[in-house]
């Protein structure tokens, strides 16, 4: 008996999250013997609970091509935490809705917290003896999901960061007067995005001269020594910092002035460490200082997306559907690098409990120079992820995107 499948998106978007959605839709529609309709949750599980659903099977071929190049979450996102108690009334409501829509498989595209939703729904289904498959499709620019080699979304974010930091470095080099530019990048607990700034360098000693990430405690005293040494080498210094850098006591640098806010999952909402460091450097060295916060641009720049990332995001979505139709549930799609020359991936699954509410830090052994630089191992790891430029459909000189009506 044919069933319908359901897909939702959750958490912070990426430049390629819709490529994963495309993969789910395309693979579902390519299996008419198993799948009747592909439905989408509008604003994730939270919107689904409110009855906001759309029939994705009605999208035209042109719509799907545009979807694949559209950044942000086409279906809309949410940050909604399901109760720990699997007897909570919300679960009965959810499974009643699944049954009324004849859902045979549900896919959730997201990061750590989204996998928590997949985990709870799959465990609840087992308790209730429901035959619905729940599969997580990985997504996050933070690249902090365990088990998988890397996460769709990271390659494009890394490419954007490297390209933009390169442009900032060129801009900073035009004047002879001493100046410091501090670039703040995303990364609450993991420095993967900030590490991508190392890809901007074209020769040894090129900017950014200093890179700081959350994996190594940040020392203001050491920071001043590093800046002083950098300024003695050249007049224009570019420094890249993760938003989540913290001191040896665990206090975030962004908390040196104001307390960070807390989101619904209990995570501190961090911003502003570059601005704080700007004041410290200006007062200490009496030089021109500028702070730059790249903010959401890191996750929504489609024009600088990586073609490899787009393809891998799509493959992750297709793999999720394939595995669900084989009867798998309570799993997340993973990728592994095959040994041997060249770069090739193999897609598989891991128990979602191995992923949800856990984080993969940047390898400390890849961090050098007393915590202020990145070693060559990272370049070998990251370069394959940023390769290629996807074709873009343009309109009036601008990229054309698919907007939900």
């Amino acid at each position: 008996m044919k069933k319908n499948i359901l897909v939702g998106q959750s958490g912070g978007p990426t430049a390629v999250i819709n490529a994963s959605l495309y993969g789910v839709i395309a693979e579902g529609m390519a299996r008419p013997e198993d799948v009747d309709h592909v439905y989408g949750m509008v604003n994730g599980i939270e919107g689904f609970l409110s009855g906001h659903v759309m029939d994705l099977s009605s999208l035209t071929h042109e719509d799907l091509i545009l979807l694949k190049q559209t950044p942000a979450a086409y279906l809309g996102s949410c940050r909604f935490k399901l109760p720990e108690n699997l007897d909570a009334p919300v679960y009965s409501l959810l499974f009643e809705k699944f049954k009324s829509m004849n859902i045979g498989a549900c896919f959730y595209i997201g990061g750590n917290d989204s996998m928590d939703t997949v985990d709870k729904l799959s465990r609840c289904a087992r308790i209730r003896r429901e035959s619905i498959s729940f599969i997580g499709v990985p997504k996050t620019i933070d690249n902090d999901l365990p088990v998988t080699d890397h996460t769709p979304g990271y390659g494009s974010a890394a490419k954007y960061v490297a390209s933009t930091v390169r442009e900032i470095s060129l801009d900073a080099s035009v004047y002879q007067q001493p100046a410091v530019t501090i670039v703040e990048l995303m990364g609450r607990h993991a420095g993967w995005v900030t590490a991508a700034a190392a890809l901007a360098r074209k020769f040894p000693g090129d900017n950014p001269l200093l890179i700081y990430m959350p994996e190594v405690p940040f020392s203001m005293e050491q920071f001043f020594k590093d800046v002083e040494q950098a300024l003695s080498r050249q007049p224009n210094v570019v420094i890249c910092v993760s938003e989540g850098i913290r001191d040896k006591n665990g206090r975030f640098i962004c908390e040196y002035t104001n307390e960070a806010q807390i989101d619904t999952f209990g995570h501190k909402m961090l911003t502003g460490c570059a601005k704080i460091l700007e004041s410290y450097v200006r007062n200490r060295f009496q030089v021109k200082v500028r702070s730059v916060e790249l903010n959401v641009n890191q996750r929504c720049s489609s024009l600088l997306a990586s073609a490899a990332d787009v393809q891998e995001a799509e493959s992750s979505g297709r793999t999720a559907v394939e595995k669900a139709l084989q009867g798998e549930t309570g799993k997340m799609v993973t990728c592994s690098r095959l040994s041997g020359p060249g770069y090739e991936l193999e897609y598989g699954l891991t128990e979602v409990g191995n992923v949800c509410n856990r984080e993969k830090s940047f390898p400390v052994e890849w961090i050098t120079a007393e915590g202020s630089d990145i070693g060559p191992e990272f370049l070998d790891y990251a370069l394959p992820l940023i390769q290629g430029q996807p074709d873009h459909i343009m309109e009036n000189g601008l990229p054309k995107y698919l907007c939900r009506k």
Side-chain angles (χ1 to χ4, degrees), residues 231-252:
L231 284 170
S232 70
R233 290 162 52 191
Q234 63 185 62
N236 298 294
V237 174
V238 176
I239 304 169
C240 292
V241 298
S242 295
E243 61 181 338
I245 53 173
R246 57 179 81 80
D247 60 28
K248 64 181 181 180
N249 298 316
R251 187 184 180 195
F252 290 106

Side-chain angles (χ1 to χ4, degrees), residues 23 36 56 75 117 132 158 309 354 368 387 390:
D36 193 5
L56 298 171
L75 290 172
T117 297
I132 303 175
D309 196 24
N354 296 331
T368 63
Q387 298 304 308

Side-chain angles (χ1 to χ4, degrees), residues 182-185 194 212 218 239-243 245 273-274 277:
I182 305 173
V183 183
E184 180 177 332
L185 298 153
T194 304
Y212 299 95
F218 184 86
I239 304 169
C240 292
V241 298
S242 295
E243 61 181 338
I245 53 173
C273 67
L277 293 176

Side-chain angles (χ1 to χ4, degrees), residues 81 104 133 208 327:
K81 189 175 181 67
S133 173

Side-chain angles (χ1 to χ4, degrees), residues 113-125:
D113 297 326
S114 302
M115 296 309 126
D116 178 74
T117 297
V118 175
D119 180 51
K120 289 172 178 172
L121 288 174
S122 61
R123 287 191 288 118
C124 188

